[in-house]
């Protein structure tokens, strides 16, 4: 992998915020363990968790179809 240098923090933060897997970011950075990546870039994860929760809520919420028992 190419050396990212001083831009590694910004690049990695943007990748994680865009939904790229932390494992992929770990590989790009050349970290030997996911714990290293998560210790450095874990601050991005709460926003990703919030977004994931929103997607889960949308997936589990049944839309009104208008075919209920009252019709």
């Amino acid at each position: 992998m190419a050396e990212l240098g001083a831009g590694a923090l910004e690049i990695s933060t943007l990748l994680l915020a865009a939904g790229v897997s932390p494992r992929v970011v770990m590989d790009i950075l050349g970290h030997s363990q996911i714990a290293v990546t998560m210790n450095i870039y874990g601050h991005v994860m709460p926003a990703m968790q919030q977004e994931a929760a929103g997607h889960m809520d949308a997936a589990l919420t049944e839309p009104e179809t208008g075919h209920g028992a009252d019709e």
Side-chain angles (χ1 to χ4, degrees), residues 26-50:
M26 178 196 91
D27 290 338
I28 291 170
L29 294 171
H31 293 159
S32 60
Q33 298 179 6
I34 193 70
V36 173
T37 307
M38 297 310 297
N39 285 340
I40 297 170
Y41 302 102
H43 65 280
V44 179
M45 301 310 291
M48 292 176 67
Q49 291 170 343
Q50 183 90 15

Side-chain angles (χ1 to χ4, degrees), residues 7 11 13-14 20 23 25 27 31 33 36 41-42 46 50 58 61-62 67 71:
I11 292 167
T13 300
L14 290 171
V20 174
R23 173 67 190 196
V25 175
D27 290 338
H31 293 159
Q33 298 179 6
V36 173
Y41 302 102
Q50 183 90 15
T61 303
E62 294 184 35
H67 297 95
E71 292 182 23

